[in-house]
Each structure stands twice: as structure tokens, then as C-alpha cells.
Amino acid sequence: MNKLFTVAGFTIRNKLKTKAFIITTLIIALIMCIALNVPYIITVFSSDEPAKIGFIEDDSGIANSVQKYFQTQEDADVEIVLLAKKETVEENEQMAMDKLEAGEIEGYLQLKDEEVDGFPVVVYTSLTSLGFNLQNEFQNVFKLLKTDIVAKELGLSSDEQNILLAPVSFESVELTDITDTQGGTQTEGKNESEEKISLFISYAVIILLFMGIIVSGQLIATEITTEKSSRVMEILVTSVPSLTQMFGKIIGMFIVSMSQILIFVTVLVVNILLPHNAEVFEQINLDMSSVDLTLILPIFVYSILLYFMGFFLYSTLFAAIGSIVSRTEDLGQAIMPMTFISLAGFYIAIFSINIPDSALVVWSSFIPFFTPFVMTLRIGLGEPALWEIWLSLGILLATILGGGWLSAKIYRTGVLMYGKRPSIKELRKAMKAFKV
């Protein structure tokens, strides 16, 4: 046991001191800080002055209505500048172009004589693009004006117009237990805030697990192959049993991976708690006070458990693969199948976010190599039965034990085999010869 902790401690110290680990961690943490504060950074460097857009007046009064609309908006992004109508269309355009070139306006709107569905065609002219947000806002404004014109033609009052334009009240209620409606009870499930937190937990665990598998698994395999190719392994096996080496490296890399994740989580929490980011929660309607921790806690616990189990399953297999490769140049090809398997589980989970109870997701959650990804998705966003969760965990645990046992046998044999990568038949012969 002391040797196991010695190997694990050596692996931890060795990886934490490497420049690659330090630089990578700092770069990712910096990217997270920038990404989480992008809205605030944009507001700091953006001008508070609204964009001045000219509007050539006509007899319809639409220009005046658009100006009044933006004047009533709080913190409006647009200021409408009315341009007096001239005798001819050419004179109107020349006047607007002169103001545009002089920098008095950023662009101008004008109404064509032709109509589509009872409303004049609107044309925006500028030296630069209007931008998606402003274009969408103008479209909404003109849509409201068109609705108002049509409503007046139909003789609708202002109250009737308000009723017509009022949004429909729509609520989503999730039921965890559904019984008969005659005297039965129904248990209400997650509300909107709880669903968003569940989505965040599922996303975070799936992405972190994939990153942990790819990065840590390759590091474990690379370190074993490097020690073997440099003949250091021959010295190590005389002082430390091969199984102690394998599990010591896996435990050490797991602690290194968790320390990196802890740094990222700390950066995430600190940035979220910054005062200027409080508005983000308001914009996405996330009310932390309405969150029931009794519903979120099981999701969090299961997700962490699946992360641990998935990490150890793939790590033991990566270690076994690294032990049968004699040259680091051949390692990439050897670990490619495991990389594709983990990639398949990751893609199934990520692309099934909107359909967590589909047949593909349900059946994939019982495949042990996909369970850490897919069952995390089902628990967070779907409604799997308790027996399904425990069955998938049982299958995954059995696979970890079986894979660990097989990986240990391969490791004990593979670290002493040199030359070309052995086939399965050659590996079995060697295992029998070494009485593994």
C-alpha cells in the first residue's frame, strides 16, 4: 500500500510541475474568465450613444410612429432622425446621402410607393450593415405598425388590439409520478430553474468527463510507453509490482485531473458571483430561490459517481494499451479505438440533449462504455426509473471490475514485451508463459 501511494505521489508531483500542465490550466482558466465576462466587456467598450437612423417622412405618418416608438423605449439602441420630405424622390435620396456622408446619421429608411400585403416596402440604406439585432428590432416595429393599420381598417378598438397582441400564458409542469386521476396523487417535478440547473450539471459533467478521458487517458498511456521504450520499466518492475505501478499512475492522474477541474470550477463560481454578472441570471429567468435541492442533489451525486466510474474504466484500458506498445510513435494508432468509443458516447449524449428519452439514448445508457455519458444525460434531463439507473450502474461496475482485472493481466505481461505490438494470440501465449 505504501508503494501504491508512493507511485501515486510521484505521478502527482511530476505532472503538477510540468510546464504543459501549468500553461494549459492557466490558458483554459483565462479563456473561461473572458467567456463568462463577454457581455460585460462588450458593454464597457461599446458606446452608450444610440445609433442615429434617418427616416424620410411621407404622408402616411409611419416615420412619426416609428420615432415615437423608440422614444418611449427605455435605453433604446436607435434614435430616429426625421428627414423632411422634398419635391422628388431624387432630392430625398440626395438629402439623406449628404447627411450620411457628413456623419450626422448612420443610415436612413425610406418607404417605397409599392406595397406588399397592404404595407409599404421599407428600404434601409447605409455604408455598413445594419446588424442582425437592429434589423430584427425594426422588423418587429413595422410588424406592430402593420397590425395596427389593419386593425383600424377592421374597426377594432385599442382594447381589442391589446387583447389580440397579448402573449399567451404558457407553463410547463413536469410530473415525476403519474397515477390514476380518480383520487390518485401526482408529484410535481422540476420547475424551469431546476431544469436549467440540471441541464448545466449534465453538460458540465459530460464535457469534463470527455476531456478527462482524452487528456488523462493519453497521458497515462504515454507515460507507460515512454518508461517502457526507455527501458526504465525494467528497473521499476524489480522494485515496484506492475499492478501497483498501474493503479498508482491511475490514482495519481485522477487526482491531477480533479485538481484541474477544481481550479476550473473555482474560476467559474468566482466569475458567476461577480456583481456585473448577476444580470445574466435575470435574463435567463434563473431563480435560485425556487430551486428544490432535494431534486438537484441526487442528480449531482449520480453525475459525480458516473464521472468517477467512467474515468477509472477508461483509464485502466488506456493503461493496458500503453503497456503493450513499445514505441511512442505507435501509441496514437493503438489508442485510436478507445478514443473513438469515448467520442461516440460523448456525441450521443451531446446531440441528444433535446431528446433525452429517445430509444437510442435509453439503450445506449446500458452499454458500459457509453453509460457515464448517456446516463448522466438521462438522469439530468430525462426521467429514468430507479431500476434503470441501478442496472446501468451495476453493468458499469461489473465492466470496471472485469476491465480492471483484464487490464491488470495485460499490463503485467505487456510491460515486459518489446518489439512490434503483440496480437491477441501472442498476448495470450505470453500471459500463459508468465502464468498471469
Side-chain angles (χ1 to χ4, degrees):
M1 187 62 69
N2 290 334
K3 292 182 178 180
L4 177 68
F5 291 135
T6 301
V7 174
F10 175 79
T11 302
I12 294 170
R13 290 190 300 271
N14 187 35
K15 293 302 177 186
L16 291 178
K17 291 180 180 179
T18 57
K19 292 182 179 179
F21 176 84
I22 296 172
I23 294 174
T24 302
T25 303
L26 291 176
I27 290 176
I28 295 176
L30 180 61
I31 292 174
M32 289 178 63
C33 290
I34 296 174
L36 291 168
N37 291 278
V38 163
Y40 177 72
I41 295 173
I42 292 175
T43 57
V44 169
F45 288 97
S46 61
S47 175
D48 294 333
E49 293 291 329
K52 291 185 177 182
I53 306 296
F55 204 139
I56 301 175
E57 294 183 275
D58 63 354
D59 299 330
S60 65
I62 293 177
N64 289 288
S65 300
V66 173
Q67 184 187 48
K68 290 178 182 178
Y69 172 84
F70 283 107
Q71 286 176 346
T72 57
Q73 299 296 310
E74 186 178 354
D75 297 328
D77 297 329
V78 175
E79 178 185 344
I80 298 297
V81 179
L82 296 179
L83 305 177
K85 182 180 178 181
K86 300 294 183 181
E87 294 292 334
T88 63
V89 175
E90 290 75 13
E91 289 178 346
N92 287 333
E93 292 183 353
Q94 185 60 47
M95 171 193 60
M97 286 299 299
D98 290 341
K99 291 184 177 295
L100 180 62
E101 293 175 356
E104 297 179 18
I105 57 176
E106 297 182 16
Y108 65 91
L109 296 162
Q110 59 178 330
L111 302 177
K112 294 293 185 180
D113 293 333
E114 57 182 305
E115 293 186 355
V116 177
D117 296 331
F119 195 84
V121 175
V122 184
V123 178
Y124 176 76
T125 306
S126 70
L127 300 176
T128 58
S129 173
L130 178 60
F132 175 78
N133 291 334
L134 286 180
Q135 182 176 342
N136 189 46
E137 191 169 0
F138 273 119
Q139 287 177 341
N140 291 332
V141 172
F142 289 119
K143 184 177 180 180
L144 289 173
L145 290 176
K146 179 183 176 181
T147 304
D148 183 64
I149 293 172
V150 174
K152 287 180 179 179
E153 291 177 353
L154 295 175
L156 298 179
S157 64
S158 58
D159 292 336
E160 291 172 331
Q161 291 183 44
N162 292 333
I163 294 173
L164 186 63
L165 297 175
V168 177
S169 178
F170 182 85
E171 296 181 0
S172 175
V173 177
E174 180 183 347
L175 300 176
T176 54
D177 295 319
I178 302 178
T179 58
D180 55 50
T181 56
Q182 299 178 353
T185 58
Q186 294 181 332
T187 304
E188 187 172 338
K190 299 187 289 290
N191 57 36
E192 185 179 359
S193 296
E194 291 162 349
E195 288 178 355
K196 289 177 180 178
I197 293 177
S198 300
L199 174 63
F200 174 77
I201 293 174
S202 301
Y203 250 122
V205 172
I206 291 170
I207 293 173
L208 289 175
L209 175 59
F210 179 71
M211 291 176 59
I213 288 172
I214 295 298
V215 176
S216 300
Q218 289 186 358
L219 286 175
I220 291 171
T222 302
E223 185 170 351
I224 293 171
T225 303
T226 303
E227 291 175 352
K228 184 178 175 181
S229 61
S230 63
R231 301 284 178 169
V232 174
M233 187 65 71
E234 296 177 1
I235 301 174
L236 292 175
V237 294
T238 59
S239 56
V240 181
S242 55
L243 294 185
T244 303
Q245 290 182 47
M246 185 183 80
F247 288 108
K249 292 180 184 298
I250 291 174
I251 293 172
M253 284 306 305
F254 174 75
I255 295 174
V256 171
S257 177
M258 290 305 298
S259 64
Q260 194 173 39
I261 290 174
L262 184 61
I263 293 173
F264 297 153
V265 171
T266 303
V267 172
L268 177 67
V269 172
V270 169
N271 280 275
I272 288 176
L273 294 178
L274 290 175
H276 59 258
N277 285 329
E279 296 180 0
V280 176
F281 290 102
E282 297 178 1
Q283 293 175 357
I284 62 176
N285 296 322
L286 183 59
D287 184 10
M288 298 299 293
S289 62
S290 65
V291 175
D292 185 0
L293 293 180
T294 59
L295 291 175
I296 299 300
L297 187 60
I299 297 174
F300 180 77
V301 172
Y302 278 127
S303 298
I304 296 300
L305 179 62
L306 286 165
Y307 178 90
F308 290 165
M309 297 176 74
F311 184 92
F312 281 103
L313 172 63
Y314 280 96
S315 295
T316 54
L317 298 176
F318 272 106
I321 293 172
S323 68
I324 62 176
V325 179
S326 300
R327 299 187 309 166
T328 54
E329 294 84 355
D330 301 330
L331 183 60
Q333 184 179 1
I335 65 175
M336 191 176 296
M338 291 306 304
T339 303
F340 282 148
I341 290 174
S342 62
L343 195 61
F346 174 74
Y347 279 152
I348 291 173
I350 288 296
F351 290 117
S352 300
I353 288 288
N354 295 325
I355 46 173
D357 293 317
S358 65
L360 174 63
V361 173
V362 171
W363 286 105
S364 299
S365 64
F366 297 107
I367 301 175
F369 294 105
F370 300 158
T371 298
F373 300 102
V374 183
M375 186 51 77
T376 299
L377 171 69
R378 290 191 65 195
I379 294 173
L381 302 179
E383 285 297 331
L386 186 61
W387 68 267
E388 292 181 304
I389 298 175
W390 285 102
L391 177 60
S392 65
L393 290 176
I395 296 173
L396 179 58
L397 180 61
T399 306
I400 292 173
L401 296 176
W405 173 79
L406 180 62
S407 298
K409 294 174 74 69
I410 294 174
Y411 189 91
R412 290 176 63 185
T413 306
V415 292
L416 298 176
M417 297 180 66
Y418 291 89
K420 69 180 184 69
R421 190 167 71 249
S423 62
I424 297 177
K425 186 177 180 180
E426 292 171 340
L427 197 59
R428 289 180 61 186
K429 285 184 178 179
M431 291 169 69
K432 289 181 179 179
F434 285 117
K435 296 181 180 181
V436 175

